[in-house]
Amino acid sequence: MLGQGNLRSSRALAVSWRPATWHPCLDMGSLHRPRSSTSHRNLQHVFLFVLFVGPFHCLASYSRATELLYSLNEGLPAGVLIGSLAEDLRLVPGASGRQNQKAQSPERAGAEWNPPLSFSLASGRLSGQYVTLDNRSGELHTSSRAIDREALCLEGGGGAAWSSSISISSSPSSDSCLLLLDVLVLPQEYFRFVKVKIAIRDINDNAPQFPISQISVWVPENAPVNTRMAIEHPAVDPDIGTNGVQTYRLLDYQGMFTLDVEENENGERTPYLIVMGALDRETQDQYVSIIIAEDGGSPPLSGSATLTISISDINDNCPLFIDSQINVTVYGNATVGTPIAAVQAVDRDLGTNALITYTYSQKVPQASKDLFHLDETTGVIKLFNKIGGNVLQTHKLTILANGPGCIPAVITALVSIIKVIFRPPEIVPRYIANEIDDVVYLKELEPVNTPIAFFTIRDPEGKYKVNCYLDGEGPFRLSPYKPYNNEYLLETTKPMDYELQQSYELAVVAWNSEGFHVKRVIKVQLLDDNDNAPVFLQPLVELTIEENNAPNAFLTKLYATDADSGERGQVSYFLGPDAPSYFSLDSVTGILTVSTQLDREEKEKYRYTVRAVDCGKPPRESVATVALTVLDKNDNSPRFINKDFSFFVPENFPGYGEIGVISVTDADAGQNGWVALSVVNQSDIFVIDTGKGMLRAKVSLDREQQSSYTLWVEAVDGGEPALSSSTKITILLLDINDNPPLVLFPQSNMSYLLVLPSTLPGSPVTEVYAVDKDTGMNAVIAYSIIGRRGPRPESFRIDPKTGNITLEEALLQTDYGLHRLLVKVSDHGYPEPLHSTVMVNLFVNDTVSNESYIESLLRKEPEINVEEKEPQISIEPTHRKVESVSCMPTLVALSVISLGSITLVTGLGIYICLRKGKKHHREDENLEVQIPLKGKIDLHIRERKPIDISNI
């Protein structure tokens, strides 16, 4: 069927035919026809036979809604045939009886109809994205843009419709993805509205992918065999069904772990890690493997991630000592605080499970505990008190190592004390710097290598060599003073800073060759100098205050520190020379105030300096900058740039067109300066754009209904409370030529007037009267005859200004009958004049004896050639010579007298009627104008139907 080789799967699976209303020609129910079914194909032929054997006009007798369902694989190339709408809708003539005949080509399907059929999408904006539709044959093909099912129907959710012709839909079933199209079959007599559904079938074009490349799982080391733990980051495959994720496996399970997969009721598969053997964190605390996810496609696709299995610790080990006993020797002259031994136990656990504390056993005598201190955290044993003469020479210290939930480990420390009898070395100081009670006073600015004291070191026994060293931190040095023996000089090594450290504690330690020690403690106290200037906490002090503040308003409290001590560190505050006079600064407290009321609109920002000065000699100072911003308050009402506004707008201005800009300002800032404009009155007609101030009319304005508008526009700012002002807006409408002349007389194209053959030339016969609602030149009306029909219609003329129709020439015997004049009534509007037309019917006869005959003449369509001739307003009256007739002079004189009388009477009548008609028109334009007949001519008017006025 397709002619596309292996692309057979993209052909239509079923066609569903649903008429919108029942019709005898189409009462076939719903028809589904798989392409491969012979029985269904026969059913189609039966249906087509019934369709075409019946009355052929059934196809165009009503509108039908039809649904077609196709299916194809995603990712197909361009040009693949999806289906033929003409064939599947049975629109090929003669198809019902061609079961054993060669199928007619789809290209000829539309051509067999007269007029030919055409197929089109309801809206073609996006039709070329995924499918193309042949307008003549109705064949659907794939377009150059490949269909990606996962992109169209992501996660099986409902797709949003793109246009009225193409949309994407996902049914509640997760494996259904539909491309929806609306197709119109034209022309109107064969009209059919077809809904085409294309089911997009999934192919295995996506491999499973883990959301993260490194997956971590923690397993406690005491987890029993067959423990199951869910892997929280399973693989994701956009494909569905068997093309989705099916299995998981480990690349290297190391004999300790394996994987299992569980499927829930929604079909989601979750991998579970299963413990296969006993775990011991102390033996191996981490396992690294590769987890692989495979789908069920053919061939299958896979994705992988690194799986790190970390073994978490439990408290399954207790502290242990390597040795059970240690021996320690201590000399009787050992210094208090000297470490004599240390014990250490080992716990193979981690964290709090490996926390060890050390304590003495209850068997240890209190005297031993008082002499030797045990650090419970480090296990270090230190000499806590001096060793006296009565102290036992051997001490047995039993020490316990305690772990959480464990039996303590035990170790014994045997401490042997060796008594020593000696005379310690002597240290004799001689101070160079000022010293009081072993406290040396130095100025912080003393230079390097300033001498402090001499120390003489000697041995009372006179038989031991004595050495010494300096114990303590600081910029000091103790060195031998040559050429003397046992003489040492204490001096400084670098400058000292009182602000960094005020005092030092040093110790001169002497010891002899036998190991006997003695020390002399010295304290060094520094004296402060004024070497530091005050320092502000902030070099730039940024402040804000609302405008219209109260006098002497508090701004801030300045604070500066001085590292010097005493009066050298006392700070006073002063304003800089650039500070305005209305700012004040308390020299002691540093409180900054402003004495006057500030106005943001006058000045918004202030910037000046302040000084901090100490009381040293000489004094030191530092400078900071004060930046003050005055915050806005809503103290200014909006102001319009004009007292009132006037705009001239042509009538029929389009709705929401821009009339003009209403400019308004507000001196305030921020929200307080934000102005909202609104129309107070006439808000049903006019609206104003708050942001731009643009005034617009909601509807088109008609000058003939109202020539001007007066509005009041209010401006409200955004302050709290809000301030407002208003202005007057005047809108004047300029007339445009939008109204054609309205013919008031004659009132109908079917009216006629009787003209007696005896009517003299120059006599008024009737008039055409019209009005125009416009003004100026748009309302200046001109009358002209643009078409004539009758025996001799040129016998009548019309005045272009007044519309009066007069007889030009004397009527002859041959002029009897109906004369029809097509009168054009035109204004002088710009840019293009408007006009109306009216038919004036004049029946020349002595009497009206046969009205039905006249009416039959009026009913006929007049064949009148239109004369394209523009009327002129300023038309000079023409003077025509009255041809003399060969008659007696007496008759000529009588005729002249009669004609003059008739002309006089007719002129007076026309003048009176015009005055009366214009007066009535000014009172009410809607009143029907009654035009009296001119003169004493016997004119008969017959009204048959409403006047027919046409605008050309």
Side-chain angles (χ1 to χ4, degrees):
M1 297 290 290
L2 288 175
Q4 295 292 334
N6 296 328
L7 301 180
R8 192 174 191 86
S9 60
S10 66
R11 198 65 169 104
L13 290 180
V15 178
S16 176
W17 179 283
R18 301 192 187 98
T21 56
W22 182 87
H23 193 278
C25 298
L26 295 174
D27 189 13
M28 298 294 297
S30 297
L31 177 61
H32 298 274
R33 57 180 192 99
R35 294 281 180 178
S36 59
S37 175
T38 304
S39 61
H40 282 75
R41 184 180 301 274
N42 295 333
L43 182 60
Q44 297 170 19
H45 294 162
V46 172
F47 174 79
L48 292 175
F49 176 78
V50 173
L51 178 66
F52 287 99
V53 168
F56 191 77
H57 63 84
C58 292
L59 290 174
S61 61
Y62 65 98
S63 298
R64 296 182 295 276
T66 307
E67 288 188 358
L68 297 179
L69 175 62
Y70 299 95
S71 67
L72 76 161
N73 291 343
E74 61 174 326
L76 293 178
V80 175
L81 177 62
I82 300 174
S84 174
L85 300 185
E87 182 179 345
D88 294 333
L89 293 174
R90 288 80 166 179
L91 296 179
V92 180
S96 60
R98 56 183 176 89
Q99 186 173 10
N100 297 320
Q101 300 177 6
K102 184 177 180 180
Q104 184 174 357
S105 63
E107 289 76 6
R108 299 183 55 193
E112 295 293 338
W113 299 88
N114 186 21
L117 297 179
S118 68
F119 300 84
S120 62
L121 296 174
S123 175
R125 288 182 297 164
L126 299 174
S127 62
Q129 284 204 1
Y130 295 103
V131 297
T132 59
L133 175 62
D134 191 301
N135 293 339
R136 299 301 303 272
S137 67
E139 288 187 348
L140 273 176
H141 293 82
T142 57
S143 67
S144 58
R145 180 172 178 178
I147 298 177
D148 186 356
R149 182 190 181 281
E150 290 71 35
L152 293 179
C153 302
L154 184 62
E155 298 180 358
W162 296 333
S163 70
S164 61
S165 65
I166 294 184
S167 63
I168 303 301
S169 174
S170 290
S171 65
S173 175
S174 62
D175 58 352
S176 179
C177 176
L178 298 178
L179 180 64
L180 308 179
L181 300 91
D182 294 341
V183 178
L184 300 178
V185 182
L186 296 174
Q188 183 63 33
E189 52 266 33
Y190 312 131
F191 174 76
R192 185 167 297 152
F193 181 72
V194 184
K195 287 189 173 292
V196 179
K197 297 181 180 180
I198 303 177
I200 311 301
R201 294 195 297 266
D202 182 49
I203 64 173
N204 191 26
D205 57 344
N206 292 280
Q209 185 176 3
F210 287 92
I212 56 177
S213 60
Q214 300 282 341
I215 302 175
S216 298
V217 178
W218 286 87
V219 180
E221 63 176 324
N222 63 341
V225 177
N226 294 328
T227 298
R228 302 170 64 87
M229 304 187 70
I231 297 177
E232 297 181 354
H233 301 283
V236 178
D237 193 328
D239 296 326
I240 61 173
T242 57
N243 293 331
V245 178
Q246 299 296 321
T247 61
Y248 291 87
R249 59 187 174 88
L250 287 178
L251 188 62
D252 182 10
Y253 57 89
Q254 302 187 21
M256 300 297 294
F257 301 97
T258 187
L259 285 180
D260 189 15
V261 179
E262 290 187 3
E263 183 176 355
N264 60 16
E265 58 185 10
N266 295 327
E268 298 176 351
R269 288 177 170 85
T270 302
Y272 280 81
L273 184 69
I274 302 176
V275 180
M276 298 179 60
L279 303 176
D280 186 2
R281 189 203 64 80
E282 289 74 28
T283 302
Q284 185 171 350
D285 61 354
Q286 190 178 81
Y287 298 86
V288 179
S289 182
I290 302 296
I291 183 173
I292 299 175
E294 289 186 351
D295 59 24
S298 179
L301 301 178
S302 64
S304 63
T306 301
L307 178 64
T308 302
I309 306 171
S310 300
I311 310 303
S312 58
D313 183 57
I314 64 170
N315 191 26
D316 57 347
N317 292 278
C318 290
L320 294 175
F321 284 110
I322 298 176
D323 300 320
S324 60
Q325 179 176 314
I326 58 173
N327 297 319
V328 181
T329 300
V330 180
Y331 288 96
N333 62 344
T335 305
V336 174
T338 302
I340 63 171
V343 296
Q344 184 177 9
V346 177
D347 193 324
R348 298 177 62 189
D349 293 327
L350 294 175
T352 57
N353 294 332
L355 184 63
I356 301 175
T357 58
Y358 301 93
T359 58
Y360 282 128
S361 171
Q362 296 181 359
K363 298 179 180 180
V364 177
Q366 188 61 40
S368 298
K369 295 180 182 179
D370 294 339
L371 185 60
F372 302 103
H373 176 266
L374 174 63
D375 191 303
E376 66 176 9
T377 303
T378 63
V380 175
I381 303 173
K382 293 183 180 180
L383 183 63
F384 193 65
N385 289 308
K386 275 190 174 184
I387 300 176
N390 298 327
V391 174
L392 297 174
Q393 294 184 352
T394 302
H395 296 265
K396 184 178 181 181
L397 306 178
T398 303
I399 301 172
L400 305 177
N402 304 286
C406 292
I407 299 175
V410 181
I411 190 173
T412 301
L414 293 177
V415 181
S416 299
I417 298 176
I418 300 175
K419 292 187 176 181
V420 178
I421 301 175
F422 68 96
R423 293 178 65 186
E426 296 179 355
I427 301 175
V428 180
R430 286 170 292 169
Y431 294 100
I432 301 173
N434 295 330
E435 178 268 337
I436 301 174
D437 296 333
D438 289 336
V439 178
V440 177
Y441 295 91
L442 294 177
K443 292 183 177 182
E444 64 173 325
L445 299 180
E446 291 288 353
V448 179
N449 299 326
T450 297
I452 298 175
F454 278 109
F455 291 91
T456 301
I457 309 299
R458 58 190 176 197
D459 181 18
E461 300 292 334
K463 59 180 180 179
Y464 300 107
K465 182 181 179 181
V466 180
N467 295 313
C468 71
Y469 65 93
L470 185 65
D471 186 18
E473 296 180 354
F476 304 100
R477 177 176 59 217
L478 182 66
S479 58
Y481 189 75
K482 296 181 179 180
Y484 304 104
N485 294 326
N486 297 330
E487 295 289 341
Y488 295 87
L489 176 64
L490 178 63
E491 59 185 349
T492 61
T493 58
K494 62 181 181 179
M496 293 174 288
D497 191 349
Y498 175 85
E499 287 70 37
L500 295 179
Q501 188 169 346
Q502 291 81 33
S503 63
Y504 298 89
E505 184 171 322
L506 308 175
V508 178
V509 180
W511 82 96
N512 59 18
S513 57
E514 296 296 325
F516 301 136
H517 294 73
V518 68
K519 67 170 61 175
R520 181 68 179 263
V521 178
I522 302 170
K523 291 185 178 182
V524 178
Q525 180 66 46
L526 297 184
L527 301 177
D528 187 30
D529 281 326
N530 190 29
D531 58 341
N532 292 280
V535 177
F536 282 99
L537 293 181
Q538 294 175 319
L540 176 61
V541 182
E542 296 181 327
L543 306 174
T544 58
I545 186 174
E546 282 193 344
E547 63 176 330
N548 305 330
N549 56 282
N552 300 318
F554 172 83
L555 294 178
T556 188
K557 181 176 181 180
L558 300 176
Y559 185 70
T561 59
D562 195 318
D564 295 325
S565 60
E567 64 179 8
R568 293 174 293 275
Q570 295 179 0
V571 180
S572 299
Y573 303 92
F574 304 95
L575 288 172
D578 55 345
S581 59
Y582 38 83
F583 289 96
S584 301
L585 179 61
D586 191 290
S587 61
V588 178
T589 62
I591 295 177
L592 181 64
T593 58
V594 57
S595 60
T596 188
Q597 194 176 67
L598 301 179
D599 186 358
R600 189 203 66 82
E601 288 72 34
E602 180 179 344
K603 188 173 183 179
E604 184 178 5
K605 294 184 180 296
Y606 297 86
R607 192 180 184 93
Y608 52 88
T609 57
V610 292
R611 299 185 302 129
V613 183
D614 64 19
C615 298
K617 295 181 181 179
R620 292 176 176 268
E621 69 175 39
S622 62
V623 178
T625 301
V626 174
L628 175 64
T629 301
V630 182
L631 301 179
D632 184 59
K633 290 183 68 175
N634 193 28
D635 56 345
N636 292 277
S637 300
R639 294 184 60 185
F640 292 92
I641 62 171
N642 296 328
K643 183 178 179 181
D644 51 31
F645 296 82
S646 296
F647 299 103
F648 293 88
V649 181
E651 66 170 329
N652 299 333
F653 196 65
Y656 292 96
E658 298 179 354
I659 296 177
V661 177
I662 310 300
S663 299
V664 63
T665 61
D666 194 314
D668 294 323
Q671 187 74 15
N672 296 329
W674 182 85
V675 179
L677 298 174
S678 61
V679 178
V680 178
N681 63 325
Q682 303 282 0
S683 59
D684 56 331
I685 301 177
F686 297 94
V687 66
I688 193 166
D689 188 343
T690 297
K692 298 180 180 179
M694 181 63 67
L695 182 64
R696 307 173 189 269
K698 297 180 180 178
V699 297
S700 179
L701 304 178
D702 189 355
R703 188 204 61 80
E704 286 72 34
Q705 294 184 2
Q706 186 170 343
S707 61
S708 66
Y709 296 86
T710 300
L711 314 178
W712 287 93
V713 173
E714 183 182 33
V716 182
D717 62 23
E720 186 63 36
L723 301 178
S724 64
S725 62
S726 59
T727 187
K728 179 182 177 182
I729 311 295
T730 302
I731 299 174
L732 301 175
L733 297 183
L734 302 176
D735 184 54
I736 63 172
N737 192 27
D738 59 341
N739 291 281
L742 176 63
V743 178
L744 300 180
F745 186 85
Q747 298 179 355
S748 170
N749 287 339
M750 300 299 291
S751 302
Y752 66 91
L753 293 94
L754 177 66
V755 180
L756 297 177
S758 60
T759 303
L760 297 178
S763 300
V765 177
T766 185
E767 72 168 347
V768 176
Y769 183 73
V771 296
D772 196 314
K773 294 183 179 180
D774 296 322
T775 60
M777 293 301 296
N778 295 332
V780 176
I781 298 176
Y783 303 87
S784 62
I785 298 175
I786 63 172
R788 305 168 186 264
R789 180 178 175 81
R792 195 159 57 99
E794 63 272 9
S795 302
F796 301 92
R797 65 176 295 272
I798 190 168
D799 190 301
K801 292 183 179 180
T802 64
N804 290 333
I805 298 176
T806 59
L807 180 65
E808 276 295 290
E809 300 175 353
L811 297 173
L812 304 178
Q813 188 69 27
T814 58
D815 294 335
Y816 281 67
L818 182 64
H819 296 251
R820 311 196 73 176
L821 306 179
L822 179 61
V823 178
K824 178 180 179 181
V825 184
S826 176
D827 62 23
H828 282 64
Y830 178 83
E832 183 178 355
L834 303 178
H835 67 273
S836 301
T837 59
V838 65
M839 186 69 72
V840 177
N841 302 303
L842 303 175
F843 187 70
V844 178
N845 201 11
D846 294 324
T847 60
V848 180
S849 59
N850 191 352
E851 292 186 3
S852 60
Y853 170 71
I854 299 175
E855 292 175 358
S856 64
L857 293 178
L858 293 177
R859 291 192 190 97
K860 296 181 180 180
E861 291 292 334
E863 296 178 359
I864 299 177
N865 295 326
V866 177
E867 303 173 4
E868 294 297 333
K869 177 181 176 183
E870 294 295 331
Q872 301 295 328
I873 293 297
S874 55
I875 301 177
E876 296 296 333
T878 60
H879 300 278
R880 300 176 60 98
K881 295 182 179 180
V882 179
E883 297 181 357
S884 60
V885 295
S886 59
C887 59
M888 298 176 62
T890 304
L891 294 177
V892 172
L894 292 175
S895 299
V896 171
I897 294 172
S898 300
L899 180 62
S901 300
I902 293 173
T903 302
L904 178 61
V905 174
T906 303
L908 290 175
I910 292 173
Y911 175 77
I912 294 171
C913 291
L914 288 176
R915 294 273 304 206
K916 185 178 179 180
K918 290 182 180 179
K919 180 178 179 181
H920 283 275
H921 176 63
R922 285 193 300 266
E923 291 176 351
D924 190 349
E925 292 182 356
N926 295 326
L927 293 178
E928 181 178 357
V929 178
Q930 301 293 334
I931 305 297
L933 297 178
K934 309 299 186 292
K936 297 181 179 180
I937 302 176
D938 187 10
L939 302 179
H940 299 275
I941 301 176
R942 297 292 184 266
E943 297 294 339
R944 297 304 177 187
K945 65 179 181 179
I947 190 167
D948 183 13
I949 299 176
S950 60
N951 291 330
I952 300 177

